[in-house]
Amino acid sequence: MLVEDNPADLRLTQEVFEEAAFEHRLLVARDGEQALAMLRGTPPHGDLPLPDIVLLDLNIPRKNGLEVLRTMKQDPRLKRIPVLILSTSRAETDFAAAYDAHANAFVTKPTDWGEFAELARLIRDFWLKVVQLPPGVV
């Protein structure tokens, strides 16, 4: 699942993930409330599967990324889903806040197409091929 409100970043992420040959369906939420509704299966999202991983921007409307992260990590059904913060921020306070809220990783968004494509391949290979995820996540 990708939680991103910036249309340019959303399009870029979708393109590089497609190029990286992700075998997984990419669910997209454009704000924090929509992300939580999709994760909880709130109508009209009742038939969506839980994602294998959540790529979460910090600066999203309606509920910011940290609020979404904290909510997920307090929910027994959602807390095991790996959450990667994917943000333009380079602020140490954002890194600390994300890890304090139990983010699994914090990645600063690359601005270069090639670097973003490499990041997509790394996420695919590490989080979806190498890492052993807990039962019920995949």
Side-chain angles (χ1 to χ4, degrees), residues 48-111:
L48 293 177
L50 286 176
D52 298 327
I53 190 168
V54 173
L55 304 174
L56 180 61
D57 188 12
L58 288 181
N59 299 312
I60 52 175
R62 297 182 59 205
K63 271 195 186 277
N64 69 41
L66 287 175
E67 291 173 303
V68 172
L69 176 61
R70 288 182 187 117
T71 301
M72 286 181 66
K73 296 305 178 180
Q74 293 173 358
D75 185 319
R77 188 169 165 263
L78 306 176
K79 70 181 181 182
R80 291 183 176 173
I81 299 171
V83 178
L84 279 65
I85 302 299
L86 189 58
S87 176
T88 56
S89 176
R90 294 182 186 277
E92 288 185 17
T93 54
D94 286 341
F95 300 159
Y99 285 117
D100 286 347
H102 304 287
N104 296 87
F106 191 113
V107 179
T108 302
K109 290 179 189 175
T111 54

Side-chain angles (χ1 to χ4, degrees), residues 1-14 26-32 34-35 38 54-61 63 65 68 84-88 107 109 116:
M1 170 183 268
L2 173 63
V3 186
E4 175 63 65
D5 68 315
N6 181 305
D9 286 348
L10 174 60
R11 186 174 58 253
L12 176 62
T13 306
Q14 289 172 318
L26 184 63
L27 302 172
V28 176
R30 295 181 184 256
D31 64 56
Q34 183 182 30
M38 292 171 76
V54 173
L55 304 174
L56 180 61
D57 188 12
L58 288 181
N59 299 312
I60 52 175
K63 271 195 186 277
V68 172
L84 279 65
I85 302 299
L86 189 58
S87 176
T88 56
V107 179
K109 290 179 189 175
F116 212 118

